[in-house]
């Protein structure tokens, strides 16, 4: 099947991370750098365009499961099996803060848009919000409505989106103090906002992606063909919101046309 115009389809570079199993890879906000999270307890910062290792951050007690860069690229937040969230100075490699409070492994972290707080989602079913400007190490807020593990957390403006294995996505409107829950019917491994904020994309353990209206929860489209039955498989919109993409347990990345829900390419 011929790749659609504008969809990444050619292998540019392979980076040998030397971190054991690589649990996550994340670009920074402008795409100039990326972070890899390893089973060797490290986070590595790369220039992926040149294949150059820029820095290694060591300090977690067990495997690192996720990492994110702040909006000004000065900080990295990471989390892992040691139940902690760590904050790093990008340039010096210094560990600035270590937040503890989760009762189980921490699956995901994300900064808010201003990078004044960092949010973490855990197997303990909670999302904890940590104030980076405060000297206190206690979370400023705990979202504990989920009945099973939190798999991903996304932030858009004053709204927080969570995906949980309890089969629900939840959108928290912090400005108005409202919570909207949607039952997907299958364990949800990933959820994300569209670029315009009007739609939600969810991945489930039933090997299905669902596009839903953010306000009403109406199902707009479904995308199938990939495999997601045993592991956390993530999905996302392309930057133009014209396609959706997902990983797969068969080792391929799948891409569908957003409106037509037809498979555009798999690599």
């Amino acid at each position: 099947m011929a790749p659609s115009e504008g969809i990444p389809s050619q292998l540019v570079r392979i980076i040998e991370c030397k971190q054991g199993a690589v649990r996550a890879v994340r670009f920074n906000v402008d795409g100039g750098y990326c972070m890899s999270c390893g089973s060797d307890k490290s986070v590595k910062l790369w220039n992926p365009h040149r294949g150059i290792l820029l820095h290694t951050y060591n300090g977690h007690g067990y495997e690192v499961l996720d990492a994110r860069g702040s909006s000004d690229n000065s900080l990295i937040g990471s989390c892992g099996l040691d139940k902690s969230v760590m904050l790093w100075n990008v340039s010096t490699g210094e560990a600035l803060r270590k937040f503890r409070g989760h009762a189980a492994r921490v699956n995901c972290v994300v900064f808010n848009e201003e990078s004044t707080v960092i949010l973490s989602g855990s197997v303990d079913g909670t999302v904890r919000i940590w104030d980076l400007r405060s000297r206190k190490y206690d979370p400023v807020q705990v979202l504990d409505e989920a009945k099973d593990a939190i798999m991903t957390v996304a932030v858009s403006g004053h709204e927080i989106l969570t995906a949980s294995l309890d089969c629900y996505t939840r959108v928290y409107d912090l400005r108005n103090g409202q919570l909207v829950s949607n039952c997907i019917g299958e364990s949800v491994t990933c959820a994300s906002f569209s670029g315009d904020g009007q739609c939600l994309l969810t991945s489930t353990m039933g090997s299905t992606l669902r596009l839903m209206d953010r306000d009403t929860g109406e199902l707009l489209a479904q995308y199938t063909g990939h495999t997601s039955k045993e592991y956390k498989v993530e999905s996302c919109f392309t930057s133009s919101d014209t396609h959706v993409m997902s990983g797969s347990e068969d080792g391929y990345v799948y891409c569908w046309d957003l409106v037509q829900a037809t498979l555009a390419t798999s690599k």
Side-chain angles (χ1 to χ4, degrees):
M1 186 177 297
S4 299
E5 184 179 357
I7 299 174
S9 58
Q10 299 299 319
L11 177 64
V12 176
R13 187 180 304 277
I14 296 176
I15 298 176
E16 179 59 54
C17 296
K18 298 181 180 178
Q19 293 174 276
V22 179
R23 300 303 186 189
V25 180
R26 307 290 188 191
F27 276 105
N28 69 332
V29 291
D30 59 16
Y33 303 96
C34 72
M35 295 147 281
S36 59
C37 307
S39 61
D40 68 346
K41 313 174 189 177
S42 75
V43 177
K44 291 188 176 183
L45 179 67
W46 302 87
N47 180 330
H49 310 290
R50 300 176 61 189
I52 297 174
L53 175 63
L54 302 175
H55 208 101
T56 301
Y57 307 87
N58 291 302
H60 278 284
Y62 292 95
E63 295 186 26
V64 183
L65 299 180
D66 197 12
R68 299 279 183 166
S70 62
S71 57
D72 63 358
N73 294 323
S74 67
L75 302 172
I76 291 175
S78 61
C79 65
L81 287 178
D82 60 2
K83 309 177 188 178
S84 70
V85 175
M86 295 192 68
L87 187 69
W88 308 89
N89 182 303
V90 168
S91 58
T92 67
E94 178 187 3
L96 302 175
R97 308 283 291 274
K98 191 168 189 175
F99 299 105
R100 299 183 182 275
H102 283 293
R105 77 181 188 192
V106 186
N107 285 326
C108 52
V109 290
V110 64
F111 288 94
N112 67 335
E113 293 180 356
E114 297 80 19
S115 298
T116 54
V117 301
I118 190 168
L119 299 85
S120 55
S122 170
V123 170
D124 66 13
T126 68
V127 175
R128 295 175 185 261
I129 305 175
W130 314 89
D131 188 350
L132 304 183
R133 298 167 298 181
S134 172
R135 294 186 178 182
K136 296 181 179 179
Y137 282 79
D138 296 325
V140 294
Q141 191 170 1
V142 179
L143 310 177
D144 58 1
E145 286 75 18
K147 306 304 180 185
D148 206 332
I150 300 292
M151 301 305 289
T152 60
V153 179
V155 177
S156 178
H158 59 278
E159 293 184 320
I160 299 171
L161 170 64
T162 67
S164 174
L165 293 184
D166 67 2
C167 303
Y168 279 84
T169 62
R170 294 174 174 85
V171 177
Y172 297 85
D173 186 331
L174 299 183
R175 181 176 298 170
N176 298 314
Q178 296 178 337
L179 168 62
V180 177
S181 301
N182 282 313
C183 181
I184 307 301
E186 297 173 330
S187 295
V188 188
T189 59
C190 184
S192 56
F193 289 106
S194 59
D196 60 10
Q198 300 302 306
C199 299
L200 305 179
L201 180 67
T202 63
S203 301
T204 68
M205 298 290 276
S207 301
T208 302
L209 270 62
R210 292 172 175 83
L211 180 70
M212 301 181 297
D213 184 276
R214 186 191 66 83
D215 294 323
T216 66
E218 177 187 358
L219 180 64
L220 303 176
Q222 291 192 128
Y223 311 92
T224 58
H226 65 300
T227 303
S228 175
K229 296 180 179 180
E230 297 183 22
Y231 301 100
K232 176 183 176 180
V233 174
E234 295 193 0
S235 60
C236 66
F237 295 89
T238 57
S239 58
S240 59
D241 277 352
T242 57
H243 294 80
V244 298
M245 303 187 74
S246 174
S248 176
E249 291 175 12
D250 61 11
Y252 286 84
V253 175
Y254 287 73
C255 181
W256 297 264
D257 182 275
L258 178 77
V259 177
Q260 301 298 325
T262 53
L263 187 64
T265 187
S266 60
K267 287 288 181 178

